[in-house]
Amino acid sequence: MISSLIAGSLRVATGALARWHGCGPELRQRIYFANHTSNLDGPLLWASLPTPLRVRTRMVAAHDYWSVGKLRPWLAQRVFNAVLIERKKPTAECNPLNTMLEAMGDDHSLIIFPEGGRQASPEPEPFKAGLYHLAKRRPDVELVPVWMENLNRILPKGEILPAPLLGSLVFGTPVRLEEGETKVDFLNRARESVICLRGTCG
Amino acid sequence: MNLDHELACLITGVVGILIVASIITRILLKRARNDGARMTLENVAARTRAWWGMVIIFTLAILLGTTGTVILFGLLSFMALREFITLTPTRPGDHRTLFWVFFIITPLHYWYVLDEWYGMYSIFIPVYAFLFVPMRSALAGDCEHFLERSAKIQWGLLICVYSVSHAPALLSLQIPGYLGENAKLLFWFVIIVEISDVLQYVWGKTCGKHKVAPKVSPNKTWEGLIGGGLSTVAIGTALWWVTPFSPLQAAGMTVLVVLLGFLGGLVMSAIKRDRGVKDWGHAIAGHGGVMDRLDSLSFAAPIFFHVTRYALT
């Protein structure tokens, strides 16, 4: 109830238009991966999914950011059902990969930002290896590239007050790890699949 | 504001037109043979449905009185401005300027309109906001494309907020012999602007051949402008009895509104074309964005306001 309310207000506040270009909003296990420029990215991608998909989709977020204060942990746990990972110093016990695989289980989808942090540059930074390892361990899961437009103009890194511009998202054609494909090749291809969606943003 | 007889007639007339339009589109849609015609008619049907929504909201605002009307136009300005700034790239250095523009300057301007403080709302954006925008951006320290970025924000404010607000400002004009009846003048003005758009579209679609400015807008034809313009003048003149104008004055004012609306639409098309888009947004099904409906109004409103003010008060 509160989740739907927050999802709805996020969509209205960002005027966000979600366009499904390369695939439809189907109820199946997926990993949505997108460019990352704003703290709004994860919540808005989550909010843009239709309700049946949304309740089974968890965003992967940084533990050091979402566990500060009272509001952020509440949002992360109760609303976004986020998967919090340690990005600073991963150890054997709290390896982000295992945390993500566990969080997916048999019926949950993930939202991840493979650049590892928010970027100010117009082009996404090279992807970190997590997406590759996820693809290798779960070949049955669809990997859906998503381009998020204008979110960095609504709430840029380092700002608290938003500017009410209109955001948009484009969902692209799912990619998969090909047989014999190297880590570098796959990560480059995945990054390209996000970048090439930019042209479709009005 | 009490619902006077003439206002009730106007509202009934508009609703009547919408009923007829809805029925005609439905019949034509059933008879449509090829896919092209069906596509056009489905768009017309979507537009008509959206017109129902817009007419209901606008009528409710008018009936609520000055406050309701000013708030409605304030919200429309806000939505149009966000479409405008979204399409005209700014840089991170403009972020805090934009926060001021959206959340302080725009509401403050509409507060002055509601307060009927003519001396303030007529200079607040062109003078104070005009100077404030580059000052705030300069403090942020980003010099790249500085003049261009400032100009875009100033333009957005002038077109989407300042110009549009002159429509609800009509309510504050003190016209002798017409006191307390200004809602009808605003209603008449909005009908003329929008019906001129619709009739130019209909004339252009049915018998448009010679394009006025093919590079800017392939949909604007001489046949559409002249046919739609003349039919609008006929309607505007026929409705002279709700305005403070004589029939001749009403005809002249309609000509003014039609021409300004047409040229305003052309200007906004040029910006859209330069940015490589067809519509300003997606807020109204079948129409595109809010700015796609307000473009003619924003160019016609300030001139209509000042000519009326000069001639009648």
Side-chain angles (χ1 to χ4, degrees):
Chain A
M1 170 64 185
I2 287 189
S3 278
S4 304
L5 214 65
I6 290 182
S9 357
L10 266 169
R11 285 197 302 271
V12 171
T14 55
L17 176 66
R19 277 170 290 182
W20 296 81
H21 267 270
C23 63
E26 293 154 38
L27 191 55
R28 53 176 296 174
Q29 258 193 307
R30 279 171 167 174
I31 294 173
Y32 300 95
F33 62 101
N35 57 319
H36 197 18
T37 57
S38 162
N39 278 328
L40 284 175
D41 288 338
L44 184 66
L45 211 171
W46 169 85
S48 302
L49 299 169
T51 314
L53 276 68
R54 193 169 61 232
V55 295
R56 287 179 191 81
T57 304
R58 310 180 62 180
M59 75 178 204
V60 178
H63 193 272
D64 52 280
Y65 178 84
W66 287 97
S67 48
V68 179
K70 285 222 164 64
L71 180 66
R72 285 184 204 170
W74 179 79
L75 282 172
Q77 282 173 17
R78 291 296 164 83
V79 180
F80 304 135
N81 191 15
V83 184
L84 297 184
I85 55 169
E86 196 63 59
R87 61 176 172 179
K88 291 282 150 59
K89 38 181 192 295
T91 56
E93 304 90 84
C94 64
N95 185 329
L97 185 64
N98 291 336
T99 319
M100 288 191 274
L101 287 168
E102 238 167 73
M104 285 184 77
D106 296 327
D107 60 347
H108 276 78
S109 297
L110 292 184
I111 295 171
I112 67 170
F113 298 99
E115 291 167 85
R118 289 171 290 157
Q119 308 301 332
S121 56
E123 293 270 296
E125 296 286 305
F127 282 3
K128 298 210 183 306
L131 185 64
Y132 170 77
H133 293 300
L134 282 172
K136 207 167 170 186
R137 295 279 289 273
R138 293 293 305 266
D140 56 313
V141 172
E142 266 191 354
L143 310 173
V144 179
V146 184
W147 175 260
M148 310 206 57
E149 177 92 0
N150 259 347
L151 277 294
N152 58 332
R153 291 179 71 200
I154 299 174
L155 189 68
K157 195 172 182 172
E159 298 283 348
I160 304 166
L161 300 171
L165 303 176
L166 300 165
S168 62
L169 326 83
V170 189
F171 294 84
T173 314
V175 294
R176 58 171 62 250
L177 180 62
E178 302 294 340
E179 195 127 344
E181 193 172 29
T182 67
K183 187 167 88 177
V184 177
D185 285 347
F186 171 75
L187 290 174
N188 275 336
R189 200 160 58 83
R191 180 168 167 270
E192 284 304 319
S193 72
V194 171
I195 295 174
C196 81
L197 293 172
R198 181 163 56 178
T200 51
C201 290
Chain B
M1 197 160 297
N2 51 347
L3 180 61
D4 75 14
H5 178 66
E6 290 167 356
L7 186 58
C9 288
L10 273 185
I11 297 170
T12 316
V14 171
V15 170
I17 291 174
L18 277 179
I19 293 175
V20 173
S22 301
I23 294 172
I24 291 180
T25 352
R26 187 154 294 179
I27 294 172
L28 286 177
L29 199 54
K30 270 197 182 138
R31 289 193 186 164
R33 292 270 174 260
N34 59 51
D35 282 348
R38 191 166 296 125
M39 288 256 287
T40 309
L41 282 165
E42 259 156 27
N43 177 255
V44 170
R47 279 173 185 244
T48 317
R49 274 195 299 277
W51 273 121
W52 276 102
M54 292 188 275
V55 164
I56 289 169
I57 293 171
F58 180 64
T59 307
L60 284 178
I62 286 269
L63 294 178
L64 278 176
T66 309
T67 315
T69 312
V70 171
I71 290 174
L72 172 69
F73 277 91
L75 290 173
L76 291 175
S77 280
F78 187 92
M79 290 166 80
L81 184 63
R82 80 195 279 208
E83 289 170 0
F84 190 92
I85 301 287
T86 300
L87 274 194
T88 51
T90 52
R91 289 170 56 84
D94 300 314
H95 186 75
R96 297 196 176 177
T97 317
L98 289 176
F99 181 83
W100 276 87
V101 162
F102 277 102
F103 291 112
I104 294 164
I105 295 174
T106 303
L108 206 51
H109 173 79
Y110 269 92
W111 169 255
Y112 296 139
V113 172
L114 185 59
D115 197 36
E116 306 191 354
W117 187 2
Y118 175 77
M120 193 58 178
Y121 71 70
S122 52
I123 62 163
F124 178 62
I125 286 179
V127 178
Y128 293 91
F130 177 85
L131 297 174
F132 175 84
V133 163
M135 291 195 284
R136 185 64 193 85
S137 290
L139 279 175
D142 181 1
C143 304
E144 215 171 309
H145 300 293
F146 186 82
L147 182 58
E148 199 182 319
R149 282 156 43 207
S150 304
K152 281 170 181 166
I153 301 177
Q154 290 162 334
W155 237 80
L157 267 178
L158 270 169
I159 296 293
C160 307
V161 182
Y162 182 75
S163 298
V164 169
S165 74
H166 281 75
L170 286 170
L171 296 178
S172 65
L173 288 176
Q174 303 284 320
I175 302 166
Y178 197 68
L179 294 176
E181 299 183 60
N182 291 21
K184 287 181 289 183
L185 181 61
L186 174 60
F187 213 103
W188 180 84
F189 170 71
V190 173
I191 289 179
I192 295 306
V193 171
E194 300 302 339
I195 219 148
S196 163
D197 273 4
V198 172
L199 290 175
Q200 286 181 40
Y201 172 87
V202 171
W203 278 81
K205 279 275 174 204
T206 47
C207 52
K209 280 196 182 67
H210 304 86
K211 298 182 166 68
V212 179
K215 277 191 185 151
V216 180
S217 172
N219 290 327
K220 291 198 177 2
T221 58
W222 284 109
E223 290 81 357
L225 172 61
I226 294 167
L230 288 178
S231 0
T232 308
V233 172
I235 294 172
T237 314
L239 289 174
W240 66 273
W241 45 273
V242 305
T243 70
F245 310 123
S246 68
L248 192 62
Q249 283 173 327
M253 289 303 248
T254 314
V255 171
L256 187 72
V257 168
V258 167
L259 286 178
L260 285 165
F262 174 81
L263 293 170
L266 207 59
V267 170
M268 299 312 276
S269 288
I271 298 176
K272 281 190 284 189
R273 193 133 292 228
D274 177 45
R275 298 297 314 143
V277 296
K278 220 180 114 282
D279 293 323
W280 284 99
H282 50 84
I284 318 170
H287 294 259
V290 173
M291 199 62 223
D292 291 288
R293 267 299 45 84
L294 283 186
D295 51 3
S296 326
L297 184 136
S298 69
F299 279 74
I303 312 289
F304 180 76
F305 174 89
H306 285 291
V307 172
T308 308
R309 186 171 186 274
Y310 180 74
L312 298 185
T313 68

